[in-house]
Structure formats: C-alpha cells, structure tokens
Amino acid sequence: MNDKIISVRNLEKHFDSGKMKALNGVDQDITAGEKVCLIGPSGSGKTTFLRCLNLLEHPTGGHIYFEGQDITDPRCDINKVRQQMGMVFQQFNLFPHLNIMKNITLAPMKLKGMNKTEAEHRAMELLKRVGLAEKANAYPRQLSGGQQQRIAIVRALAMNPKMMLFDEPTSALDPEMVGEVLDVMTQLAQDGMTMVVVTHEMGFARQVADHVIFMDGGYIVEQGRPEAVFENPQQQRTQDFLRKVLK
C-alpha cells in the first residue's frame, strides 16, 4: 500500500513574533503503513513538526493534508481529524482520578459513541496485547512509568486511529523501563500501523523505521532508509550528529 496519508507543503512555524523560526518551509509525504523516525539535536524542529501534524501547534505558513483534506483550512473540523491520529507524549497524561479501564474507555464512549460493553471489550484486548490486563482496575499512581506509558499507547489505540504520533515516548522513563515501551511500539510497527516517532533511541530508529528524517535548525537536512542515513550519511551535519550519539 503506497497511498499518502499525510502531505506537508512549505510548512513554517515561527515563535516569538517571528524571531524564532522552528520550521522553515518543510515538505514531506508520509504513506499509509510507513514508519517514520525523526532524529536530530534538541531544538531542531522535530517535536514542532510532529505537533503541527495534528495542529497541536498551528503552523505560521504552509499546508498539511490528511488523506487529501487540508487540515490547515479554518473550515476543517480538526477534532474529528484528531480522532484518526493517536498521540503519545513524553509525559503520560493519564487521568489520576480514573482507573486504567476508565482512562482507556472514556474517549471511545464520549467521542465515538461506543457503548460501555464494546469499549471495555476493546480495552481488555489492548491491555492483553501490552501485557497489562491485570491492571485494568488499578490507578495510574500504582503503575511504574513504563506501565503508564504503555497504558497511554493503549488509550490512543482504543480510538482505532489510522496513524500514531509519538513525541519522545521514552524520554521521561528510567532506563530499565525504556525497553518495555519500545517493544510495544515495535509490535505496533510490525502490525502495520502508520507511525511518526520523534526519538533519541537510535537503535529503535535503525531497527523499526522505513524512513529516517534528520532535522536541524528547522530544516530537513537529510532523509532516507535507515541504513543509508546511519551508515552512509551524505551531509556533514548528519555525520557530526551521529558521531556524537552513536559513540
């Protein structure tokens, strides 16, 4: 399958009244089923690019098309579009006063009109998939960081999205918990989910990505298959970055 799910054209994002240019005319296509990893130094524009894809950041200029629909058009119902784009953040953002089952079923019932039985059945299927079925009645504070992030992934999947966006999903975790989250993401990739991942986990990017994008200064400096970007980078800036992070 090679249908474009996202097309980005001349994307710009400026902060501080235009003094800080986080994105400078970025163009990119993402096809259905593709796994894209964004890498680069802090402040390079990776997270801003990701957050623009579902308008959590509103672009200063340019257009973003989701399945052919211009989501930057003010007439677009962005909340409807966001239901098709699961988002997982650095912080887990679970509701502390709700147990895990209610955290997962709240949005499908409220936004998609699922009945409680259907929503809970789907939630249990997903909890089993990530090895946390026994935590359905627990509260977020009773779970480790790695478990909470796996629940955050499940909560996004419960909406049956067409694609998943991950913003450095392991950066807030203790090192020993990183693997359990990356394992879930790897399985998701193998199942064919379209994924865009901002990550500092170079091993994950090399193993899972179909396409790696290296950003710096709000530009896409280099992109390609992981073996090309990691093993034979063409740009000096990419070479310098990888030399530091792949020590």
Side-chain angles (χ1 to χ4, degrees):
M1 193 173 185
N2 200 33
D3 300 326
K4 291 177 191 173
I5 191 166
I6 290 268
S7 290
V8 176
R9 294 292 176 266
N10 198 29
L11 185 64
E12 298 193 350
K13 178 61 182 179
H14 302 164
F15 295 100
D16 194 17
S17 303
K19 292 174 188 170
M20 194 202 126
K21 297 185 176 180
L23 294 172
N24 295 285
V26 172
D27 293 311
Q28 192 62 43
D29 290 325
I30 298 165
T31 57
E34 191 173 20
K35 272 62 74 177
V36 178
C37 282
L38 299 167
I39 65 171
S42 296
S44 60
K46 310 182 299 295
T47 288
T48 301
F49 175 80
L50 187 81
R51 289 172 64 87
C52 281
L53 294 182
N54 62 1
L55 294 200
L56 286 179
E57 291 286 0
H58 280 263
T60 306
H63 297 273
I64 301 165
Y65 301 90
F66 177 75
E67 295 191 319
Q69 179 183 12
D70 185 353
I71 67 172
T72 52
D73 187 324
R75 294 167 295 181
C76 171
D77 183 352
I78 189 58
N79 289 324
K80 200 84 173 164
V81 173
R82 283 181 184 140
Q83 292 180 25
Q84 304 296 325
M85 304 164 83
M87 181 93 181
V88 179
F89 301 89
Q90 295 178 33
Q91 303 298 330
F92 323 124
N93 294 342
L94 300 175
F95 296 113
H97 63 291
L98 298 179
N99 69 19
I100 298 310
M101 179 58 73
K102 287 180 180 173
N103 260 284
I104 297 166
T105 58
L106 182 67
M109 290 170 64
K110 194 168 183 178
L111 300 176
K112 287 208 161 179
M114 267 193 206
N115 63 50
K116 185 179 178 185
T117 302
E118 185 185 4
E120 289 186 348
H121 178 72
R122 170 73 174 151
M124 281 307 296
E125 280 184 341
L126 290 168
L127 284 170
K128 286 174 186 171
R129 188 167 156 188
V130 301
L132 291 173
E134 77 284 359
K135 301 294 185 184
N137 295 314
Y139 285 80
R141 66 180 178 275
Q142 298 171 306
L143 274 57
S144 70
Q147 289 172 331
Q148 289 189 61
Q149 192 62 297
R150 281 187 279 163
I151 296 299
I153 294 172
V154 164
R155 184 175 61 177
L157 291 174
M159 291 291 286
N160 294 315
K162 293 184 177 177
M163 69 182 298
M164 291 282 287
L165 309 176
F166 294 88
D167 183 14
E168 296 187 35
T170 60
S171 66
L173 300 177
D174 292 334
E176 66 268 24
M177 296 175 185
V178 169
E180 63 193 58
V181 173
L182 293 181
D183 285 347
V184 170
M185 293 172 63
T186 300
Q187 185 59 56
L188 201 55
Q190 290 170 349
D191 291 345
M193 175 62 76
T194 308
M195 297 166 63
V196 183
V197 185
V198 174
T199 185
H200 292 294
E201 302 289 340
M202 298 300 143
F204 173 83
R206 182 177 271 177
Q207 175 193 350
V208 173
D210 301 309
H211 196 78
V212 173
I213 297 172
F214 172 69
M215 295 187 70
D216 190 36
Y219 294 94
I220 292 177
V221 176
E222 187 159 355
Q223 59 180 312
R225 296 283 304 170
E227 55 270 23
V229 174
F230 285 110
E231 294 167 24
N232 190 29
Q234 300 300 300
Q235 302 300 318
Q236 185 64 49
R237 183 66 189 94
T238 318
Q239 293 170 17
D240 293 343
F241 173 78
L242 290 174
R243 196 175 298 119
K244 289 176 183 172
V245 300
L246 296 177
K247 283 179 184 175

mmCIF file of all heavy atoms in Angstrom, residues 84-108:
data_model
loop_
_atom_site.group_PDB
_atom_site.id
_atom_site.type_symbol
_atom_site.label_atom_id
_atom_site.label_comp_id
_atom_site.label_asym_id
_atom_site.label_seq_id
_atom_site.Cartn_x
_atom_site.Cartn_y
_atom_site.Cartn_z
ATOM 1 N N GLN A 84 -8.471 10.339 14.299
ATOM 2 C CA GLN A 84 -7.801 9.373 13.423
ATOM 3 C C GLN A 84 -6.288 9.333 13.656
ATOM 4 O O GLN A 84 -5.582 8.551 13.031
ATOM 5 C CB GLN A 84 -8.059 9.752 11.950
ATOM 6 C CG GLN A 84 -9.513 9.857 11.579
ATOM 7 C CD GLN A 84 -10.235 8.532 11.693
ATOM 8 O OE1 GLN A 84 -9.657 7.484 11.423
ATOM 9 N NE2 GLN A 84 -11.487 8.570 12.094
ATOM 10 N N MET A 85 -5.800 10.223 14.547
ATOM 11 C CA MET A 85 -4.356 10.355 14.755
ATOM 12 C C MET A 85 -4.052 10.217 16.244
ATOM 13 O O MET A 85 -4.164 11.177 17.000
ATOM 14 C CB MET A 85 -3.866 11.710 14.227
ATOM 15 C CG MET A 85 -4.201 11.940 12.763
ATOM 16 S SD MET A 85 -4.039 13.673 12.265
ATOM 17 C CE MET A 85 -2.300 13.769 11.936
ATOM 18 N N GLY A 86 -3.685 9.016 16.675
ATOM 19 C CA GLY A 86 -3.348 8.814 18.083
ATOM 20 C C GLY A 86 -2.059 9.540 18.431
ATOM 21 O O GLY A 86 -1.142 9.591 17.620
ATOM 22 N N MET A 87 -2.020 10.100 19.646
ATOM 23 C CA MET A 87 -0.832 10.865 20.056
ATOM 24 C C MET A 87 -0.347 10.363 21.407
ATOM 25 O O MET A 87 -1.137 10.204 22.345
ATOM 26 C CB MET A 87 -1.193 12.349 20.154
ATOM 27 C CG MET A 87 -0.033 13.248 20.537
ATOM 28 S SD MET A 87 0.808 13.899 19.081
ATOM 29 C CE MET A 87 2.108 14.874 19.834
ATOM 30 N N VAL A 88 0.950 10.112 21.495
ATOM 31 C CA VAL A 88 1.580 9.691 22.750
ATOM 32 C C VAL A 88 2.687 10.686 23.068
ATOM 33 O O VAL A 88 3.571 10.920 22.236
ATOM 34 C CB VAL A 88 2.141 8.256 22.655
ATOM 35 C CG1 VAL A 88 2.811 7.859 23.964
ATOM 36 C CG2 VAL A 88 1.026 7.272 22.310
ATOM 37 N N PHE A 89 2.621 11.256 24.266
ATOM 38 C CA PHE A 89 3.525 12.336 24.650
ATOM 39 C C PHE A 89 4.676 11.810 25.524
ATOM 40 O O PHE A 89 4.691 10.664 25.948
ATOM 41 C CB PHE A 89 2.755 13.403 25.435
ATOM 42 C CG PHE A 89 1.606 14.009 24.672
ATOM 43 C CD1 PHE A 89 0.338 13.435 24.723
ATOM 44 C CD2 PHE A 89 1.779 15.155 23.911
ATOM 45 C CE1 PHE A 89 -0.733 13.989 24.026
ATOM 46 C CE2 PHE A 89 0.723 15.718 23.209
ATOM 47 C CZ PHE A 89 -0.539 15.126 23.263
ATOM 48 N N GLN A 90 5.608 12.712 25.835
ATOM 49 C CA GLN A 90 6.691 12.364 26.761
ATOM 50 C C GLN A 90 6.111 12.026 28.129
ATOM 51 O O GLN A 90 6.488 11.045 28.760
ATOM 52 C CB GLN A 90 7.672 13.532 26.888
ATOM 53 C CG GLN A 90 8.411 13.860 25.611
ATOM 54 C CD GLN A 90 9.338 15.057 25.787
ATOM 55 O OE1 GLN A 90 9.886 15.263 26.859
ATOM 56 N NE2 GLN A 90 9.510 15.834 24.740
ATOM 57 N N GLN A 91 5.218 12.890 28.603
ATOM 58 C CA GLN A 91 4.523 12.636 29.870
ATOM 59 C C GLN A 91 3.275 11.831 29.559
ATOM 60 O O GLN A 91 2.684 11.968 28.491
ATOM 61 C CB GLN A 91 4.169 13.958 30.562
ATOM 62 C CG GLN A 91 5.374 14.849 30.836
ATOM 63 C CD GLN A 91 6.392 14.196 31.769
ATOM 64 O OE1 GLN A 91 6.030 13.393 32.614
ATOM 65 N NE2 GLN A 91 7.661 14.534 31.597
ATOM 66 N N PHE A 92 2.837 11.025 30.512
ATOM 67 C CA PHE A 92 1.814 10.017 30.207
ATOM 68 C C PHE A 92 0.407 10.615 30.103
ATOM 69 O O PHE A 92 -0.448 10.105 29.406
ATOM 70 C CB PHE A 92 1.860 8.905 31.257
ATOM 71 C CG PHE A 92 3.273 8.591 31.696
ATOM 72 C CD1 PHE A 92 3.642 8.654 33.032
ATOM 73 C CD2 PHE A 92 4.239 8.262 30.766
ATOM 74 C CE1 PHE A 92 4.941 8.391 33.426
ATOM 75 C CE2 PHE A 92 5.553 7.999 31.148
ATOM 76 C CZ PHE A 92 5.903 8.070 32.488
ATOM 77 N N ASN A 93 0.163 11.716 30.842
ATOM 78 C CA ASN A 93 -1.111 12.440 30.747
ATOM 79 C C ASN A 93 -2.336 11.576 31.024
ATOM 80 O O ASN A 93 -3.397 11.791 30.447
ATOM 81 C CB ASN A 93 -1.261 13.094 29.355
ATOM 82 C CG ASN A 93 -0.242 14.183 29.109
ATOM 83 O OD1 ASN A 93 0.366 14.688 30.051
ATOM 84 N ND2 ASN A 93 -0.031 14.548 27.875
ATOM 85 N N LEU A 94 -2.187 10.587 31.893
ATOM 86 C CA LEU A 94 -3.354 9.800 32.299
ATOM 87 C C LEU A 94 -4.139 10.575 33.352
ATOM 88 O O LEU A 94 -3.576 11.371 34.099
ATOM 89 C CB LEU A 94 -2.916 8.448 32.870
ATOM 90 C CG LEU A 94 -2.116 7.539 31.919
ATOM 91 C CD1 LEU A 94 -1.658 6.291 32.656
ATOM 92 C CD2 LEU A 94 -2.939 7.168 30.692
ATOM 93 N N PHE A 95 -5.445 10.343 33.404
ATOM 94 C CA PHE A 95 -6.265 10.995 34.427
ATOM 95 C C PHE A 95 -6.033 10.295 35.765
ATOM 96 O O PHE A 95 -6.398 9.122 35.922
ATOM 97 C CB PHE A 95 -7.745 10.932 34.055
ATOM 98 C CG PHE A 95 -8.077 11.689 32.795
ATOM 99 C CD1 PHE A 95 -8.499 11.024 31.662
ATOM 100 C CD2 PHE A 95 -7.958 13.078 32.749
ATOM 101 C CE1 PHE A 95 -8.805 11.706 30.494
ATOM 102 C CE2 PHE A 95 -8.265 13.774 31.586
ATOM 103 C CZ PHE A 95 -8.688 13.092 30.458
ATOM 104 N N PRO A 96 -5.452 10.975 36.755
ATOM 105 C CA PRO A 96 -5.076 10.306 38.007
ATOM 106 C C PRO A 96 -6.264 9.812 38.824
ATOM 107 O O PRO A 96 -6.138 8.862 39.592
ATOM 108 C CB PRO A 96 -4.297 11.387 38.771
ATOM 109 C CG PRO A 96 -4.747 12.681 38.188
ATOM 110 C CD PRO A 96 -5.062 12.406 36.753
ATOM 111 N N HIS A 97 -7.438 10.448 38.645
ATOM 112 C CA HIS A 97 -8.610 10.088 39.453
ATOM 113 C C HIS A 97 -9.437 8.960 38.829
ATOM 114 O O HIS A 97 -10.425 8.520 39.421
ATOM 115 C CB HIS A 97 -9.497 11.325 39.658
ATOM 116 C CG HIS A 97 -10.058 11.873 38.371
ATOM 117 N ND1 HIS A 97 -9.253 12.489 37.425
ATOM 118 C CD2 HIS A 97 -11.314 11.891 37.867
ATOM 119 C CE1 HIS A 97 -10.006 12.873 36.404
ATOM 120 N NE2 HIS A 97 -11.262 12.512 36.647
ATOM 121 N N LEU A 98 -9.037 8.499 37.651
ATOM 122 C CA LEU A 98 -9.753 7.412 36.981
ATOM 123 C C LEU A 98 -8.881 6.162 36.948
ATOM 124 O O LEU A 98 -7.659 6.250 36.775
ATOM 125 C CB LEU A 98 -10.108 7.793 35.543
ATOM 126 C CG LEU A 98 -11.031 8.997 35.332
ATOM 127 C CD1 LEU A 98 -11.254 9.224 33.842
ATOM 128 C CD2 LEU A 98 -12.364 8.803 36.053
ATOM 129 N N ASN A 99 -9.517 4.982 37.110
ATOM 130 C CA ASN A 99 -8.723 3.760 36.977
ATOM 131 C C ASN A 99 -8.350 3.545 35.511
ATOM 132 O O ASN A 99 -8.794 4.283 34.621
ATOM 133 C CB ASN A 99 -9.438 2.549 37.604
ATOM 134 C CG ASN A 99 -10.684 2.118 36.847
ATOM 135 O OD1 ASN A 99 -10.881 2.453 35.689
ATOM 136 N ND2 ASN A 99 -11.547 1.371 37.518
ATOM 137 N N ILE A 100 -7.531 2.545 35.256
ATOM 138 C CA ILE A 100 -6.986 2.342 33.913
ATOM 139 C C ILE A 100 -8.091 2.060 32.903
ATOM 140 O O ILE A 100 -8.094 2.612 31.791
ATOM 141 C CB ILE A 100 -5.947 1.193 33.930
ATOM 142 C CG1 ILE A 100 -4.765 1.555 34.835
ATOM 143 C CG2 ILE A 100 -5.495 0.858 32.520
ATOM 144 C CD1 ILE A 100 -4.136 2.920 34.594
ATOM 145 N N MET A 101 -9.057 1.233 33.267
ATOM 146 C CA MET A 101 -10.161 0.927 32.354
ATOM 147 C C MET A 101 -10.913 2.201 31.950
ATOM 148 O O MET A 101 -11.200 2.424 30.769
ATOM 149 C CB MET A 101 -11.114 -0.078 33.002
ATOM 150 C CG MET A 101 -12.310 -0.454 32.134
ATOM 151 S SD MET A 101 -11.845 -1.172 30.527
ATOM 152 C CE MET A 101 -11.279 -2.797 31.005
ATOM 153 N N LYS A 102 -11.191 3.063 32.914
ATOM 154 C CA LYS A 102 -11.929 4.299 32.597
ATOM 155 C C LYS A 102 -11.063 5.259 31.797
ATOM 156 O O LYS A 102 -11.565 5.977 30.928
ATOM 157 C CB LYS A 102 -12.438 4.946 33.879
ATOM 158 C CG LYS A 102 -13.606 4.172 34.489
ATOM 159 C CD LYS A 102 -14.127 4.801 35.757
ATOM 160 C CE LYS A 102 -15.291 3.987 36.320
ATOM 161 N NZ LYS A 102 -15.728 4.482 37.646
ATOM 162 N N ASN A 103 -9.756 5.288 32.067
ATOM 163 C CA ASN A 103 -8.848 6.106 31.260
ATOM 164 C C ASN A 103 -8.920 5.717 29.792
ATOM 165 O O ASN A 103 -8.892 6.572 28.903
ATOM 166 C CB ASN A 103 -7.405 5.946 31.762
ATOM 167 C CG ASN A 103 -6.947 7.084 32.659
ATOM 168 O OD1 ASN A 103 -6.636 8.181 32.188
ATOM 169 N ND2 ASN A 103 -6.925 6.835 33.958
ATOM 170 N N ILE A 104 -9.003 4.418 29.541
ATOM 171 C CA ILE A 104 -8.980 3.922 28.162
ATOM 172 C C ILE A 104 -10.333 4.075 27.470
ATOM 173 O O ILE A 104 -10.396 4.397 26.282
ATOM 174 C CB ILE A 104 -8.536 2.443 28.138
ATOM 175 C CG1 ILE A 104 -7.107 2.311 28.675
ATOM 176 C CG2 ILE A 104 -8.634 1.856 26.727
ATOM 177 C CD1 ILE A 104 -6.708 0.875 28.993
ATOM 178 N N THR A 105 -11.420 3.864 28.198
ATOM 179 C CA THR A 105 -12.744 3.828 27.561
ATOM 180 C C THR A 105 -13.428 5.189 27.467
ATOM 181 O O THR A 105 -14.407 5.337 26.728
ATOM 182 C CB THR A 105 -13.685 2.866 28.325
ATOM 183 O OG1 THR A 105 -13.789 3.293 29.701
ATOM 184 C CG2 THR A 105 -13.163 1.436 28.281
ATOM 185 N N LEU A 106 -12.921 6.172 28.172
ATOM 186 C CA LEU A 106 -13.584 7.483 28.209
ATOM 187 C C LEU A 106 -13.764 8.082 26.815
ATOM 188 O O LEU A 106 -14.878 8.438 26.409
ATOM 189 C CB LEU A 106 -12.781 8.444 29.105
ATOM 190 C CG LEU A 106 -13.370 9.847 29.276
ATOM 191 C CD1 LEU A 106 -14.687 9.779 30.046
ATOM 192 C CD2 LEU A 106 -12.388 10.764 30.012
ATOM 193 N N ALA A 107 -12.688 8.198 26.052
ATOM 194 C CA ALA A 107 -12.767 8.844 24.735
ATOM 195 C C ALA A 107 -13.592 8.044 23.725
ATOM 196 O O ALA A 107 -14.428 8.624 23.022
ATOM 197 C CB ALA A 107 -11.362 9.120 24.195
ATOM 198 N N PRO A 108 -13.390 6.723 23.600
ATOM 199 C CA PRO A 108 -14.223 5.973 22.644
ATOM 200 C C PRO A 108 -15.721 6.087 22.926
ATOM 201 O O PRO A 108 -16.526 6.157 21.999
ATOM 202 C CB PRO A 108 -13.737 4.525 22.816
ATOM 203 C CG PRO A 108 -12.350 4.648 23.320
ATOM 204 C CD PRO A 108 -12.346 5.866 24.192
#
